[in-house]
Amino acid sequence: MGTFDGKTVVITGGAHGIGRATADAFIREGARVYIIDKQPGDWFVGDVSDRDTLEKFAAYVKAQSEQVDVLVNNALPVMKGIDECTWEEFSYALAVGVTAPFYLTKLLVPSFSEGASVINIASSRDRMSQPQTESYTAAKGGIAALTHALAVSLAGKARVNSISPGWIDTTGSDITGSDALQQPVGRVGKPEDIAEMILFLSSDKAGFITGENICIDGGMTRQMIYHGEHGWEYRG
């Protein structure tokens, strides 16, 4: 028997990458999984930035299942920077990355089972940045903060946590050399690294964890970098 036999899991952006790996992991553990994604496929096709689409998806899930045990807000915001990002693009990134997780959670709360779990996918970019990434970074910072707010509001109804992935390769490539070695663990992350944490946070083993953000980045955000030390060199 799987850990999630008979459980209902809802995943946004579940067609590829972390979302697909998470769906496969829950299916392996016996869950019924409902996916929404813009990409055409054998799931509910739609854009989570659209209110009507979210309402239709929530109604679809409720019609198929009496309760929701796990909600994974994973849909990916657009990444554009201050030089080129338009008002519309920035607003769209926030709609996908913050508004949609809030509203879908709100729509599904009445169907949450006892001990339900919400997992929001943030990013290590919620605490560090590259130039020209404002839309994505703002969305990921927003969902990290939304997580602890929801955890308090939904106390007694659901546990709410977020995960901040670092560099996760979704192409299946064998990345070696400096790209791998700059991570303290010596490799780039895989979608399965995140999926396994989602399973844990959704399980009874994590029953005392809520409002938390867990950064899974191979230690990259913990590594202090100084020009001229340990082979690091700044080239401006």
Side-chain angles (χ1 to χ4, degrees):
M1 294 181 64
T3 303
F4 293 92
D5 277 344
K7 303 291 187 180
T8 296
V9 177
V10 175
I11 303 174
T12 70
H16 58 280
I18 291 172
R20 182 70 259 174
T22 300
D24 290 344
F26 274 114
I27 291 169
R28 181 189 71 221
E29 294 296 329
R32 297 185 300 271
V33 176
Y34 297 94
I35 290 170
I36 181 171
D37 200 289
K38 290 195 303 183
Q39 181 176 314
D42 188 22
W43 43 73
F44 192 100
V45 177
D47 188 334
V48 298
S49 72
D50 180 68
R51 174 180 176 176
D52 185 57
T53 297
L54 283 177
E55 291 174 350
K56 289 178 179 177
F57 176 59
Y60 168 76
V61 171
K62 292 176 182 179
Q64 301 295 316
S65 183
E66 293 183 357
Q67 65 184 34
V68 172
D69 301 285
V70 180
L71 169 60
V72 182
N73 289 305
N74 169 72
L76 192 67
V78 65
M79 183 188 290
K80 299 198 76 172
I82 194 167
D83 288 355
E84 297 182 357
C85 188
T86 65
W87 170 281
E88 290 78 14
E89 289 168 332
F90 194 85
S91 298
Y92 181 73
L94 295 182
V96 171
V98 183
T99 307
F102 165 78
Y103 194 52
L104 186 56
T105 302
K106 179 180 177 70
L107 290 170
L108 294 179
V109 163
S111 297
F112 280 173
S113 63
E114 183 178 353
S117 180
V118 179
I119 311 296
N120 296 322
I121 304 303
S123 169
S124 60
R125 293 174 186 270
D126 61 15
R127 67 205 66 194
M128 59 190 299
S129 292
Q130 290 175 299
Q132 304 301 322
T133 61
E134 280 77 12
S135 66
Y136 185 88
T137 300
K140 292 304 185 179
I143 199 170
L146 177 66
T147 295
H148 57 74
L150 286 173
V152 174
S153 293
L154 298 182
K157 296 180 181 178
R159 292 182 299 104
V160 186
N161 293 288
S162 63
I163 296 173
S164 291
W167 184 353
I168 305 297
D169 174 57
T170 60
T171 68
S173 303
D174 183 19
I175 299 176
T176 58
S178 57
D179 283 341
L181 295 175
Q182 68 182 335
Q183 332 268 336
V185 298
R187 68 172 175 87
V188 173
K190 302 176 291 184
E192 291 76 15
D193 292 320
I194 310 304
E196 289 301 321
M197 178 57 72
I198 292 172
L199 259 65
F200 170 71
L201 288 174
S202 302
S203 73
D204 292 340
K205 295 178 181 179
F208 199 55
I209 303 174
T210 194
E212 189 59 73
N213 174 274
I214 299 173
C215 186
I216 303 177
D217 68 344
M220 196 169 182
T221 57
R222 295 303 189 188
Q223 182 165 252
M224 297 184 72
I225 297 173
Y226 288 91
H227 169 70
E229 290 189 4
H230 308 295
W232 293 100
E233 182 179 351
Y234 177 76
R235 297 179 181 180

